[in-house]
Structure formats: structure tokens, C-alpha cells
Amino acid sequence: MSEGYEALRDGAAWLDLSARGRIVARGRDRARLLHNITSNDVKKMAPGSSCYAFLLSPQGRIQADLHLVCFADHFWIDTEPELREKVQRHILKYRVADQVELEDVTGQTAAIGVEGPTAESIVLPAGGHWAAPFTVTGQPGYRVYCAASEMAGLVAQIEAAGGRPATLEDARIVRIENGRPVYGEDIRETSLPQETQQMQAVSFTKGCYIGQEIVERIRAMGQVHRKLQRIELEGAEPAAPGAKLTVGGHEAEITSSVYSPRLGKAIALAYVRS
């Protein structure tokens, strides 16, 4: 077991998440536009609040996922590294007459994940940084945002408070142990929200938005034909993405798989047919 994995599982670890996309949305119509094109209730967000949401196609398929943070005069959008341009294109496609400007601030900012059972005990002194309650692994913790030039100093403070460095591979193992999917591996352009079981991203009371009709129709029907689940495999060898196997008599397709040091066997996330 690596030190970073152990810190994520049993202590506190820090992760360099600066490759993730960070976009600022400004303009008087920002809340209305983001409300109309995301799956969560943006209009009810107050400064300081945050949420997880999907961008859907009109057919209800997930085009991207993102974390939103509300500020008094802008929204902060955090998304997967490979989605930063796609998210901006999607928002601008539906902007039409809305007064909304987007600024990609990925290059001049940094993001640090502080994650693990004791992560909340690491309290950073006030400064030019700020935090939001997002984690990669599904462990307790938070994400710190700062100017790129401030990152080294913040990491030193985190390590002085007991945080240990962990790699993105360490984080991937823990996230799969926790059944936490990621866009691009487990959540795909063809996925429906209910298939992913990440329904914290969806509001059923907000009214109309892009893709809502399909999401509501599935809810009315009561089920989808497959659901993303964490499964345990026989032996220590992870399965390849796309591999097919049978789980409890049902066909399953692997999306991501790792060896779990905690369980001493391979585990995976897979879409299991119902």
C-alpha cells in the first residue's frame, strides 16, 4: 500500500487537482442560463452554496458533469480536465440573448484536494484562497482554490498540519472502492442520469431544463435497463474497460477496475443490466 493511499483511507491526503477545468460565469443572466441548461436547481443557490449537476442533451444523455459554486457576482464552474472546452461550448450554444460571459481561469489558478477521514481537521489560515465541499474520492474533505503562485505555500501548510501527498492513481483506487464514478470512464455521453445513480445531480422540482422531459419520463416509468454499481471480482487482476461478465445472473459491462489493497481483490464499477 502506498503512503498516499493509506492517507486517503485512514488520515488526510492532498491531491494536485490543478489540471481540472475552472471557468467563471459572469453577467446578469448567469443564474437563469445555468438553471435552464443544467439538471440541478441553480436559481435557489445563494452565495456560498454549491451543487453537482449534469449538462444534458435534449435526449437526456449526459454531455458533461460539473460542480458549481455561487458567489455574489459570479458562478465558479469546476469540471474534468477534458471537459473544460466542451462545457464552455455547451453553455454558449444556449446563451442566445442572455447576458453571460465565460472566462477560463484554469491557467492562472490551482486546485488542491484535501481528502480522507481526518481532512476536516486541517484548517488553513485565512488568505487569498477559498474552499468548496467537493472530493474526488468520495471520502470526507474539501477542495481549495487559489492563485497558481500560492499553491506551494498552501501545500506546505497542509503538510505541516498532517496532510500527506497522494497521487491521482491513489485517488482512483479509493474512488472506485467508494463506488464514485468519473465522467469519461464511468459516465459517458450515452449515459442517462438514472443509469449512473448520481441523482444528487438532479432536481425534480425545478421546472423545465434541457433534457428534463426524458429524465421525467424515466422517473415515471420507474426504472432504467442498467445501473452503475460497484462490484467485486474474483482474484487480484483488474478487468479491462468494456469487459463483459455476469453478476448475480445479470450481464455487466466494466467501466473501470483496480486492485483494492483494502479488500485484497480486484473491484470494478460496471453497468449491470436489471
Side-chain angles (χ1 to χ4, degrees), residues 118-131:
T118 64
E120 302 285 356
S121 68
I122 296 180
V123 180
L124 298 171
H129 58 275
W130 56 278

Side-chain angles (χ1 to χ4, degrees), residues 97-131:
D98 292 301
Q99 190 189 326
V100 178
E101 300 82 44
L102 302 180
E103 182 187 3
D104 189 324
V105 296
T106 308
Q108 59 263 43
T109 59
I112 308 164
V114 185
E115 307 190 19
T118 64
E120 302 285 356
S121 68
I122 296 180
V123 180
L124 298 171
H129 58 275
W130 56 278

Side-chain angles (χ1 to χ4, degrees), residues 48-51 67-69 120 130-135 141-143 145:
S49 65
S50 59
C51 74
H67 288 94
L68 281 172
V69 185
E120 302 285 356
W130 56 278
F134 311 142
T135 71
Y142 55 93
R143 191 166 300 165
Y145 300 100

Side-chain angles (χ1 to χ4, degrees), residues 139-161:
Q139 293 289 79
Y142 55 93
R143 191 166 300 165
V144 182
Y145 300 100
C146 62
S149 58
E150 289 184 17
M151 181 174 169
L154 282 174
V155 166
Q157 291 176 28
I158 293 166
E159 292 192 337

Side-chain angles (χ1 to χ4, degrees), residues 16 63 140 270:
D16 182 357
Q63 302 305 292

Side-chain angles (χ1 to χ4, degrees), residues 34 173 189 243 259 273:
L34 290 172
I173 296 169
E189 267 195 335
Y259 172 76
R273 292 198 73 82

